[in-house]
Amino acid sequence: MSINLSFNEPISYSNMLEEWKKLFTTQKEILLFIFQYAAPGMLRVNKVPKNVDFYNNLISLNLLQMSNLYSLHSKSQNRMTRESLVKYMQKVINSNQNPKNCRDIEVIAYEPRSICGFGCQVHHIAYGLTVALGEGKPLVVKASPWHDFESIFDVIMPLSETCHYEMIDTHNLKAKYLELEEEYQIKEFLPPAFPENIKEQIEEFHTDPFLWYISQIMMYIMRLRPYIWKKLRPIEFKSPIVG
């Protein structure tokens, strides 16, 4: 692997992060190779004293290098761009979801057809919100019974303060229904699609623009009800947790 940056060229945040990603991936692959294919006896060099734990020292060295790369990553980001873009994205989502006059307009409508877990429901809403943002129309979701709640919106905040599913009939809304069981026809709005106009800005602080973009949608959805926040308590895990 070679570093493609030239000292004669202006160094940009996006180039630095791209090179950082290559270095980090290579370092991680070396560590995974050691874990998967090596054993303490295999990595012994004849000239190294027997009391030297070459195998574990090599692992420690790789972990140290990855730690150094993590530290370097935080210094290779344009934090001002990141902070301003977060505010911009939340403003765009909020504006799209809260039209001043929710009457005689087109909306993206979604009616949950099955009861699934919290993560499943949130993923469905995120899918719908991605399409809604792409089309520039608010997403309205029917408040269907969900486990012991009247709807998932007993846990998270409403997606809109001005536009709701019930207003389809009362406010003459033209609804385009989103069927998650079927493939949505307008593919340019489906994941991993994201707005091209902010791609270069995202690359100044993140190596995966779509991942950052969908995280902003998740941030908007995951605004919990105040009483839910009060019930949350930090959990100290004493062993690895899967799931």
Side-chain angles (χ1 to χ4, degrees), residues 8-230:
N8 296 324
E9 299 176 358
I11 298 177
S12 67
Y13 283 106
S14 59
N15 287 340
M16 288 180 66
L17 284 175
E18 189 61 33
E19 295 301 328
W20 175 90
K21 186 177 182 179
K22 294 176 184 176
L23 286 170
F24 184 80
T25 301
T26 301
Q27 194 69 48
K28 184 170 66 174
E29 288 177 349
I30 292 172
L31 186 60
L32 292 175
F33 179 85
I34 295 172
F35 280 136
Q36 186 168 359
Y37 297 106
M42 294 172 59
L43 296 177
R44 179 161 301 284
V45 180
N46 294 331
K47 295 182 180 180
V48 177
K50 292 184 177 180
N51 62 334
V52 175
D53 191 347
F54 191 71
Y55 174 77
N56 285 311
N57 285 346
L58 190 58
I59 292 175
S60 297
L61 180 62
N62 273 271
L63 291 174
L64 176 63
Q65 184 67 356
M66 291 183 72
S67 176
N68 291 335
L69 286 170
Y70 271 122
S71 299
L72 179 63
H73 182 265
S74 63
K75 299 175 183 178
S76 304
Q77 302 178 30
N78 189 332
R79 295 189 178 184
M80 292 183 63
T81 299
R82 180 183 63 189
E83 292 171 2
S84 63
L85 204 56
V86 167
K87 293 178 181 178
Y88 169 77
M89 273 300 305
Q90 294 305 309
K91 183 178 180 180
V92 167
I93 298 173
N94 186 71
S95 176
N96 186 77
Q97 285 299 113
N98 291 280
K100 292 182 179 180
N101 183 17
C102 189
R103 182 181 293 275
D104 301 318
I105 63 172
E106 291 188 2
V107 298
I108 301 296
Y110 170 56
E111 179 181 351
R113 298 295 177 87
S114 60
I115 298 177
C116 58
F118 181 76
C120 169
Q121 289 280 349
V122 168
H123 279 133
H124 289 175
I125 295 173
Y127 178 94
L129 198 51
T130 301
V131 174
L133 285 169
E135 294 206 20
K137 302 168 185 174
L139 171 69
V140 294
V141 179
K142 185 176 182 179
S144 304
W146 181 68
H147 297 289
D148 294 331
F149 300 93
E150 292 186 6
S151 80
I152 195 172
F153 297 109
D154 287 345
V155 178
I156 60 176
M157 297 294 291
L159 297 178
S160 175
E161 297 294 333
T162 64
C163 228
H164 306 287
Y165 188 92
E166 295 74 17
M167 297 168 69
I168 292 176
D169 295 327
T170 61
H171 287 62
N172 194 33
L173 302 181
K174 184 179 180 181
K176 180 186 288 187
Y177 286 89
L178 189 64
E179 299 291 344
L180 295 184
E181 290 78 9
E182 300 176 5
E183 186 175 3
Y184 197 67
Q185 298 301 315
I186 306 179
K187 295 181 174 58
E188 59 264 32
F189 298 146
L190 297 183
F194 65 94
E196 184 69 23
N197 63 312
I198 59 174
K199 180 176 183 291
E200 291 186 3
Q201 291 172 283
I202 299 174
E203 288 176 339
E204 290 193 12
F205 57 84
H206 205 287
T207 57
D208 191 332
F210 169 72
L211 183 61
W212 182 87
Y213 174 71
I214 199 67
S215 74
Q216 300 308 302
I217 291 176
M218 296 299 292
M219 183 188 299
Y220 183 84
I221 296 171
M222 291 292 292
R223 296 168 298 131
L224 301 179
R225 293 277 189 178
Y227 85 94
I228 295 293
W229 276 115
K230 292 180 181 179

